Every structure is written in C-alpha cells, then in structure tokens.
Amino acid sequence: QVQLVQSGAEVKKPGASVKVSCKASGYTFTGYYIHWVRQAPGQGFEWMGWVIPDSGGTNYAQKFQGRVTMTRDTSISTAYMELSRLRSDDTAVYYCARGDVVTSLLPWGQGTLVTVSS
Amino acid sequence: EIVLTQSPGTLSLSPGDRATLSCRASQSVSSSYLAWYQQKPGQAPRLLIYGVSSRATDIPDRFSGSGSGTDFTLTISRLEPEDFAVYYCQQYGSSPLTFGGGTKVEIK
C-alpha cells in the first residue's frame, strides 16, 4: 500500500537546523510531488512547500524562503525537509504528504515532532 | 493567497445528529480544488473529500461535500461515535496551498 514513513522526533536549540526525512513506498516515487506541512501545538496546518522527486524542482511558501530546503534521493525513494535558524515558534509536528493534482494530499506521513527549546 | 474561513469553530452534537460544516474562501477556488480532512488527537489528517464532492477511498457515504466558487459545505448525515474530531478544509487550486482553521465536532 502507498505509505510515507518519517524520521523520529527531534529536540533542537534555537539557531540550529533540523532535517526530517520521508521515505515513500508502494508507488513510483518520481511520479508525485512531496509536500511538507506543519502543525504547531493546538493549531491548524501551515503549508511549507513541495519538491518534485523527478527533477528536484521546489516551490517554497514565502514565509519560509531562505530558511527551508527540500531535497530528495530517488535511489532510496526519500524526501527531505531541512529548516535552519530554528526559533521556539518552529516547534511543531512536521508532515510530509504525497501530492496529487486530483486528490490533493494523500497519504500523509505519521508526522515528526520538532521541539525547539534552549 | 486564498484565505479559508471555517464555521462554526465548535459544533456540539449527539450521535445520530446531522452535522453541517462551512468553509468560505476569500476568492474563488480554482477548478473546484477543495478538500476536506478529518483529524483525531495524535493522528495525521485523513482525506475525506476531494474535488469538492468526491469521497476518498473507504470513506463512508454519510460524508458528503458540496459547494462552488467561494462557499463549500461538508455534511455528515448521521454522526457515529468515531466521527467526533476536528475537520479542516483545504484548497489546492492555487499556490500557496491553504487550510481553514478547523471545526471541532464534539459530543454534546
């Protein structure tokens, strides 16, 4: 079945960087975009951007421009999201999701909690 | 950026009741690219509806979506105990993708 499995929880200090992975299985990895969305505690969803696994092309939300980098490794069907210069308000669950022009985001990874604290 | 406003913020209902959730967009949603998700505590969102009114795989037919342009509705015809959760609308017709703030459906 189509599945996205993310890396485990992280605790980082302010100013550090974090890199979250998202391993895809059950479909052709290069056939669909991978989106990244985050959810702060008790809050709604915030779209961060996408990466095209085939070409490596990216599109980032303006809010994250200059701080986020989305990459992929097609040899292991894995996408990555790296966020730098972390602040306390970056504490959130970060999700990857497969993007489809018809169905939007399906499925989602299980989420990765990133805690930023001194 | 398209802003999605969901109402009400909280809906207090009993099992067996009908739930009607609203999602209003600040501008017309392109090509009816409007989806609904359900989220339970500690879980990732689950896609319910895409393209305004198409049910995702394995979603029961008590869930239905409707609307066009800037006004959209998710209806749960008869609430089951497992339906008490938070529901989000999301547009994917234009970048950036945006989400509504959510409607919590709680047990009355």
Side-chain angles (χ1 to χ4, degrees):
Chain A
Q1 75 282 22
V2 177
Q3 194 174 10
L4 299 175
V5 177
Q6 299 182 222
S7 49
E10 303 262 13
V11 179
K12 296 291 182 181
K13 293 194 182 302
S17 297
V18 69
K19 190 170 186 177
V20 179
S21 68
C22 171
K23 183 171 177 60
S25 61
Y27 73 99
T28 302
F29 179 63
T30 52
Y32 297 83
Y33 290 20
I34 294 290
H35 293 249
W36 290 89
V37 177
R38 75 178 186 181
Q39 185 176 36
Q43 303 300 310
F45 296 102
E46 186 172 33
W47 178 77
M48 301 179 69
W50 48 247
V51 60
I52 305 173
D54 192 20
S55 65
T58 55
N59 178 27
Y60 303 142
Q62 189 169 10
K63 174 176 179 175
F64 300 101
Q65 293 269 4
R67 272 210 311 146
V68 72
T69 304
M70 296 178 188
T71 58
R72 90 289 186 229
D73 183 340
T74 56
S75 68
I76 55 172
S77 299
T78 299
Y80 302 91
M81 185 284 299
E82 184 170 21
L83 189 62
S84 63
R85 304 193 299 279
L86 289 167
R87 307 183 293 255
S88 58
D89 62 358
D90 290 318
T91 294
V93 176
Y94 289 77
Y95 293 99
C96 62
R98 190 183 76 165
D100 182 282
V101 67
V102 175
T103 60
S104 189
L105 305 175
L106 174 71
W108 294 54
Q110 83 276 21
T112 297
L113 175 62
V114 175
T115 302
V116 183
S117 174
S118 55
Chain B
E1 163 173 334
I2 296 179
V3 176
L4 299 178
T5 302
Q6 291 188 241
S7 62
T10 302
L11 208 45
S12 297
L13 297 168
S14 300
D17 285 350
R18 181 184 186 90
T20 303
L21 288 65
S22 174
C23 175
R24 178 162 291 177
S26 61
Q27 55 190 280
S28 185
V29 174
S30 174
S31 303
S32 298
Y33 287 148
L34 191 286
W36 291 91
Y37 299 85
Q38 176 194 69
Q39 189 182 36
K40 297 180 180 179
Q43 296 184 15
R46 173 194 183 197
L47 177 68
L48 299 175
I49 300 287
Y50 62 91
V52 176
S53 60
S54 297
R55 272 188 301 277
T57 302
D58 295 331
I59 300 302
D61 61 8
R62 64 179 180 272
F63 291 92
S64 63
S66 62
S68 64
T70 60
D71 288 296
F72 302 92
T73 300
L74 175 71
T75 301
I76 311 171
S77 59
R78 287 180 55 87
L79 283 164
E80 297 288 341
E82 63 267 28
D83 298 337
F84 292 91
V86 182
Y87 293 83
Y88 295 91
C89 59
Q90 179 238 335
Q91 68 81 23
Y92 52 108
S94 62
S95 185
L97 276 64
T98 51
F99 294 82
T103 291
K104 182 179 182 180
V105 178
E106 66 175 23
I107 299 176
K108 186 174 182 180

